[in-house]
Amino acid sequence: LSTMSKEEKPRVSLVVIGHVDAGKSTTTGHLIYKCGGVDQETIAKYEKEANEVGKPTQKFAWVLDNLKAERERGITIDISLWKFATKQYEFTIIDAPGHRDFIKNTITGTSQADVAMLVVDASHGGFEEGISRGGQTREHALLAFTLGVKQMVVAVNKMDDKSVNYSQSRYEDVKSEVATYLKRVGYKPAKVTFVPISGWEGDNITDSSSNMPWYDGPTLLDALDKVSAPKRPADKSLRIPIQDVYKIGGIGTVPVGRVETGIMKPGITAQFAPSGITAEVK
C-alpha cells in the first residue's frame, strides 16, 4: 500500500466520527501509518514527545492532532485532512472532533464526506457513555445521515481494553445496540460493515488479528475498500459551496469547500456568487 498512486484512482472523502475519547485520531493515525502515509521516523518522534508529556498512548493521534492546543488537551479541535490509498480508492480523511464544544467543526467536516467511519469505544463504561442520550455516538450518527452521508463503516474500537479482552460476546452486544440505533436513524444495518479493532495495538486495521480468531470478516482497510465511489459530474460547470473561510497569517484568506460539480485546475477563472467577483485559480 502506498500514499502515492501512478494511476488516478477515484477519490473518496471519509469522515471519522464518534464520541470523545473513542479513539478516532489514534485509529485514523494508525491506519495512515500502516498505509505508508507517515514514516517510522515521524512516529518515533511523536512517541518520544508523547512520552515526555506523560501521554504515551497519543503517538498515533498526533499524526492528525498536530495543533499545539489539541495536543495539550488531547482532543481534536479543527478538521485535519490527510490522504491514503487503498487498492481501489484514494481517500481523504476528515478527522472530525468528538467533543461537544466543537460540534460546529464536526458539522463542517461531515458535510464534506462521502463515507463515515463511526468509531465506537467497546470498553465497559466507555461504550455506555457514548451511546447514552447525551453521547456523541448517537449525535454523530444522526448528523452523518442528516447531512447525506449514506455509507457507513463502524469500527468497534478498544477491543484490547482490559474490560473487553477481545471478547466476542462484548463485540456482539456493542454491534447489536449500535445497529439498532443506526436503523432508527435511517441506515440499513445490513449494509453497514462492523469491524472489531484496536486502534492502539493495530488489530484488524490492515491485517487480520490473531487475538480475535472468532471474527472472519474484513479488516478496516478492506471494509473501506468495498464502499461505492461517489459519482461526480465533472462535465458540468464548476460549483464549490463554501463551508468556511479561514484567515491564515502569511497566506491570506482561505475559503474551504468541496468541488460538487465540474473541475477545478490552475489557470481557470472562477467566479464568486453572489458578488460576481472573478479570480484566476493559481
Side-chain angles (χ1 to χ4, degrees), residues 185-248:
V185 165
Y187 287 100
K188 293 186 171 70
K191 292 191 174 179
V192 176
T193 306
F194 286 77
V195 187
I197 67 156
S198 166
W200 171 245
E201 296 290 350
D203 296 277
N204 285 341
I205 287 184
T206 56
D207 301 297
S208 294
S209 169
S210 57
N211 291 314
M212 291 175 273
W214 44 265
Y215 175 73
D216 59 2
T219 64
L220 189 57
L221 191 70
D222 291 338
L224 292 172
D225 215 25
K226 288 186 172 74
V227 301
S228 303
K231 290 180 175 61
R232 303 200 194 280
D235 54 333
K236 300 266 173 52
S237 301
L238 177 65
R239 293 286 183 274
I240 308 174
I242 302 298
Q243 300 286 352
D244 219 329
V245 178
Y246 296 106
K247 285 189 167 47
I248 300 174

Side-chain angles (χ1 to χ4, degrees), residues 19-266:
H19 193 65
V20 65
D21 288 338
K24 297 182 297 298
S25 293
T26 293
T27 299
T28 310
H30 206 147
L31 180 63
I32 291 167
Y33 169 62
K34 292 258 194 182
C35 291
V38 189
D39 57 33
Q40 182 63 51
E41 199 179 316
T42 307
I43 285 290
K45 175 173 159 277
Y46 287 150
E47 185 168 25
K48 182 171 176 284
E49 290 174 5
N51 284 331
E52 282 169 3
V53 297
K55 295 182 177 179
T57 59
Q58 291 284 316
K59 70 174 180 181
F60 291 117
W62 283 6
V63 169
L64 290 138
D65 299 352
N66 48 19
L67 293 177
K68 197 165 183 295
E70 295 190 10
R71 286 185 173 197
E72 284 166 0
R73 286 183 69 178
I75 47 180
T76 315
I77 296 171
D78 217 321
I79 302 159
S80 312
L81 298 176
W82 212 290
K83 289 180 168 41
F84 74 97
T86 64
K87 288 175 191 159
Q88 302 281 348
Y89 304 120
E90 177 149 323
F91 278 91
T92 300
I93 295 180
I94 304 164
D95 177 54
H99 207 267
R100 178 169 285 284
D101 302 351
F102 310 119
I103 195 71
K104 175 180 170 285
N105 300 27
T106 306
I107 291 170
T108 305
T110 308
S111 64
Q112 294 178 33
D114 302 312
V115 180
M117 179 167 83
L118 176 64
V119 180
V120 178
D121 181 348
S123 70
H124 285 271
F127 172 68
E128 286 74 13
E129 186 186 335
I131 201 76
S132 67
R133 212 164 270 286
Q136 270 90 49
T137 304
R138 283 172 169 240
E139 191 170 32
H140 286 192
L142 178 59
L143 196 61
F145 191 83
T146 307
L147 293 173
V149 187
K150 298 296 187 273
Q151 296 186 82
M152 182 178 280
V153 171
V154 178
V156 180
N157 191 25
K158 303 194 183 181
M159 291 299 293
D160 60 308
D161 188 85
K162 285 191 180 75
S163 68
V164 181
N165 199 23
Y166 299 107
S167 158
Q168 181 178 3
S169 64
R170 177 62 173 173
Y171 166 69
E172 296 295 350
D173 288 348
V174 169
K175 178 182 173 182
S176 170
E177 197 161 337
V178 173
T180 301
Y181 183 71
L182 291 180
K183 186 177 181 182
R184 206 178 303 155
V185 165
Y187 287 100
K188 293 186 171 70
K191 292 191 174 179
V192 176
T193 306
F194 286 77
V195 187
I197 67 156
S198 166
W200 171 245
E201 296 290 350
D203 296 277
N204 285 341
I205 287 184
T206 56
D207 301 297
S208 294
S209 169
S210 57
N211 291 314
M212 291 175 273
W214 44 265
Y215 175 73
D216 59 2
T219 64
L220 189 57
L221 191 70
D222 291 338
L224 292 172
D225 215 25
K226 288 186 172 74
V227 301
S228 303
K231 290 180 175 61
R232 303 200 194 280
D235 54 333
K236 300 266 173 52
S237 301
L238 177 65
R239 293 286 183 274
I240 308 174
I242 302 298
Q243 300 286 352
D244 219 329
V245 178
Y246 296 106
K247 285 189 167 47
I248 300 174
I251 296 172
T253 304
V254 181
V256 177
R258 182 172 75 174
V259 177
E260 293 290 352
T261 64
I263 297 171
M264 187 178 187
K265 59 186 177 185

